Amino acid sequence: MMPRASVLVVEDNDLERSITVETLREEGFAVEEAALGRRAVELLGSTRFDVVLTDLLMPGMSGEEVLDAVKATYPATQVVVITAHGTIDSAVKAMKNGAFYYLTKPTDRETLVMTIIKAAELANLRQENTLLLRRLEGKLEIEGIIGQDPAIVEVVKIVRKVAPSNSTVLVEGESGTGKEVIARAIHRLSPRAALPFVAINCSALPDNLIENELFGHERGSFTGATERKIGLIESADKSTLFLDEIADLGIGVQAKLLRVLQEKEVRRVGGNESFHVDIRLLAATNRNLADEVAEQRFREDLYYRVNVVTITLPPLRARRSDIPLLANHALNRFSHLAEGRVKEISREAMEVLLDYSWPGNVRQLESAIERALLLCEGERITPRDLPDEVRSRKLAARTGTRSDRFEIPPEGLNFENFERDLILQAMERADWVIAKAAKMLGMTYRTLQYRIDKFGLKRGESRVHATD
Ligand SMILES: Nc1ncnc2c1ncn2[C@@H]1O[C@H](COP(=O)(O)OP(=O)(O)OP(=O)(O)O)[C@@H](O)[C@H]1O
Ligand SMILES: [Mg+2]
């Protein structure tokens, strides 16, 4: 049989506690007990109860403090206080502070049971309410874009405005900020929505394969081309073509793409016929395309074609108010990982999430929640379930470049590795624009260039120490 409700009994007097616990068990409740307020709070750290029944006067932590702890962690849980005759004042005060009801000692069985039943009913209603609210929060999502922070609301406005047109849109933003989410939303809100969204990641394949994917080929156009292949550009006809990581497109392919955009025609590799195509182009980059043009890695003429409307996605740290929404969304999305057992993120854990800088943005937040769901043993995610780097933000700040005086960590450091890491970090932040990174490090262009060569640094290399 399903227990009626779960109750935590907090009472320092052993005899009274065991009588109450016994009574409630006989009545079909699932009961846990604590002789001290501190123990109660510990139990609350891992389990959600429908009702907490607590004595007011106890050595150490008082019943009022237990009440505060419950309200802070589980607003839906109802607290019933028990008080000895003559201390009604404090019971009334407890009710003002959010207790459901108070009982005076000695309590008769019927009153006790009825009060607990009523409290449990209210707890369940409140719980359902929070679930409903959480579902309502989904309403803050437009076409899969979650957020209410002014920075993202502004983005959504632009999305709505440009979606119906045919204009090319460039989505810029750090990695994991939701560039693909935005591109898909534009497609879905456009007249082309009925046809499939065609996407290709330009950094995933070498140039010749990208070209083959985009343009297709005729049979026999090269050894191994035993069949004709229709390219993505052709298959995106009358629909949307999304070029992800467009900055990584090789210069040769850039020229061919430019021709498609200018002439609205595509020719398969090895073919001598051109086909008219009507595509709407969307592109994304996590680098600054203007810088890429300045460093001659991206064709200027193509840049002007692509950059008709630019949507710049804010990094997560610039829209912190969305962290709880996104974290709860991820919790729902991955709840199956814990068989639906984990219901919420504790306030402490949420504070940790709100405090962190999220260099990997929404994607990193999602994987932190995903991991927490796998580690979490109770019904709530606690700071313990979060990755070290998220929890030890302060540690990272200590080795960061922002502090005026750098402190050597107690465990010491390898100077060579440290220098290499700092340079790599600066280059990553500067999107590999040497001039920018040099400024960040207070070095001349030539000095930095020399060091990059000395360490043989390349894009995508990992650091020895994580200093970000
Ligand atoms: N506003 C948002 N609402 C809901 N989910 C989001 C939002 N932004 C990002 N996400 C989620 O975060 C993850 C990363 O998003 P996406 O792949 O669009 O980012 P990206 O900017 O393309 O990242 P990358 O540069 O790494 O390719 C996805 O799982 C996506 O669903
Ligand atoms: Mg992406």
Side-chain angles (χ1 to χ4, degrees):
M1 197 184 79
M2 276 279 287
R4 271 179 134 154
S6 57
V7 184
L8 172 62
V9 176
V10 194
E11 164 67 67
D12 58 308
N13 182 308
D14 290 343
L15 182 63
E16 286 182 29
R17 190 178 64 250
S18 61
I19 293 173
T20 311
V21 167
E22 207 41 49
T23 309
L24 292 174
R25 284 200 179 131
E26 281 167 20
E27 293 287 339
F29 294 99
V31 188
E32 297 241 18
E33 55 188 300
L36 286 172
R38 207 156 26 81
R39 172 70 188 140
V41 170
E42 236 173 68
L43 285 169
L44 283 162
S46 59
T47 320
R48 189 183 65 82
F49 294 93
D50 295 310
V51 182
V52 174
L53 179 67
T54 179
D55 190 13
L56 274 182
L57 274 179
M58 292 181 292
M61 200 174 182
S62 74
E64 279 165 29
E65 287 170 287
V66 172
L67 169 66
D68 287 344
V70 173
K71 289 289 144 190
T73 43
Y74 294 107
T77 295
Q78 297 304 308
V79 178
V80 175
V81 299
I82 305 196
T83 176
H85 198 67
T87 54
I88 305 285
D89 279 358
S90 49
V92 172
K93 199 170 134 227
M95 285 193 58
K96 279 194 187 136
N97 287 335
F100 172 72
Y101 204 62
Y102 72 89
L103 299 169
T104 44
K105 288 181 188 177
T107 321
D108 65 274
R109 185 177 181 122
E110 199 183 347
T111 313
L112 171 69
V113 173
M114 280 319 291
T115 308
I116 300 289
I117 289 174
K118 290 285 165 211
E121 277 172 12
L122 181 62
N124 279 320
L125 275 177
R126 287 274 158 84
Q127 181 67 18
E128 273 169 26
N129 223 335
T130 29
L131 289 180
L132 274 177
L133 269 179
R134 212 194 271 164
R135 218 163 293 150
L136 266 180
E137 280 172 355
K139 291 260 184 281
L140 293 167
E141 133 179 14
I142 303 145
E143 294 299 321
I145 306 165
I146 292 182
Q148 43 166 206
D149 193 282
I152 199 80
V153 169
E154 196 50 43
V155 165
V156 171
K157 262 195 213 155
I158 305 174
V159 165
R160 289 216 150 125
K161 213 181 281 175
V162 300
S165 73
N166 263 331
S167 58
T168 300
V169 181
L170 175 66
V171 188
E172 283 187 344
E174 288 178 15
S175 140
T177 44
K179 297 184 292 294
E180 184 159 348
V181 168
I182 295 294
R184 287 182 185 275
I186 293 175
H187 172 69
R188 237 177 293 126
L189 292 171
S190 82
R192 296 167 180 256
L195 289 169
F197 175 81
V198 179
I200 181 170
N201 183 340
C202 304
S203 66
L205 295 170
D207 282 358
N208 58 336
L209 290 186
I210 287 277
E211 185 176 339
N212 193 26
E213 285 297 316
L214 281 176
F215 297 87
H217 59 246
E218 289 297 346
R219 185 174 162 186
S221 56
F222 53 86
T223 358
T226 51
E227 296 293 336
R228 160 191 293 168
K229 179 187 164 79
I230 307 290
L232 292 177
I233 295 176
E234 247 183 287
S235 53
D237 187 29
K238 304 207 165 47
S239 187
T240 308
L241 177 68
F242 175 50
L243 298 181
D244 202 357
E245 312 291 356
I246 195 174
D248 289 335
L249 212 55
I251 288 283
V253 189
Q254 287 177 28
K256 293 194 168 152
L257 178 65
L258 181 67
R259 210 157 51 233
V260 171
L261 297 179
Q262 278 167 343
E263 334 237 299
K264 303 197 178 350
E265 281 189 347
V266 63
R267 185 182 299 189
R268 299 178 192 142
V269 175
N272 33 31
E273 215 182 331
S274 290
F275 300 90
H276 175 80
V277 282
D278 164 25
I279 54 168
R280 200 248 181 111
L281 184 71
L282 301 178
T285 174
N286 57 18
R287 292 189 230 152
N288 183 319
L289 219 46
D291 287 339
E292 297 297 305
V293 172
E295 303 252 327
Q296 302 188 343
R297 289 192 292 247
F298 200 83
R299 288 182 70 114
E300 194 170 9
D301 42 12
L302 181 58
Y303 172 66
Y304 289 118
R305 283 270 166 182
V306 170
N307 187 26
V308 180
V309 177
T310 304
I311 293 182
T312 306
L313 284 184
L316 189 53
R317 62 187 167 280
R319 45 181 285 230
R320 282 184 196 279
S321 72
D322 286 339
I323 291 176
L325 273 181
L326 289 161
N328 277 321
H329 173 72
L331 182 68
N332 285 335
R333 185 166 151 199
F334 300 120
S335 68
H336 59 275
L337 294 176
E339 279 93 36
R341 170 176 38 81
V342 180
K343 305 279 191 309
E344 54 192 354
I345 300 168
S346 75
R347 208 171 57 152
E348 295 80 12
M350 195 62 92
E351 268 166 23
V352 172
L353 297 177
L354 281 163
D355 241 20
Y356 184 58
S357 62
W358 300 108
N361 298 295
V362 185
R363 187 191 300 288
Q364 188 188 9
L365 174 62
E366 281 186 336
S367 45
I369 299 293
E370 195 179 342
R371 173 181 180 277
L373 277 165
L374 291 171
L375 294 180
C376 182
E377 287 176 346
E379 294 187 346
R380 295 186 312 145
I381 292 176
T382 62
R384 226 187 7 196
D385 305 322
L386 298 172
D388 283 349
E389 69 270 18
V390 175
R391 274 184 304 162
S392 58
R393 180 187 67 96
K394 295 192 177 67
L395 213 109
R398 185 158 55 80
T399 45
T401 45
R402 228 162 299 165
S403 62
D404 291 328
R405 177 168 176 270
F406 175 74
E407 302 271 350
I408 296 169
E411 67 278 12
L413 60 79
N414 173 324
F415 186 72
E416 191 116 316
N417 282 344
F418 183 72
E419 185 189 4
R420 178 186 172 281
D421 280 3
L422 275 182
I423 291 176
L424 202 47
Q425 189 183 344
M427 287 301 282
E428 280 164 12
R429 282 209 204 147
D431 284 335
W432 289 79
V433 178
I434 295 177
K436 253 193 192 174
K439 207 182 229 175
M440 225 180 275
L441 294 166
M443 284 180 189
T444 64
Y445 186 100
R446 285 191 50 188
T447 314
L448 181 55
Q449 176 76 68
Y450 171 79
R451 280 168 209 231
I452 289 171
D453 292 346
K454 178 179 98 179
F455 290 119
L457 293 180
K458 281 188 295 295
R459 218 187 253 276
E461 211 151 319
S462 55
R463 289 181 229 148
V464 177
H465 308 278
T467 45
D468 220 351

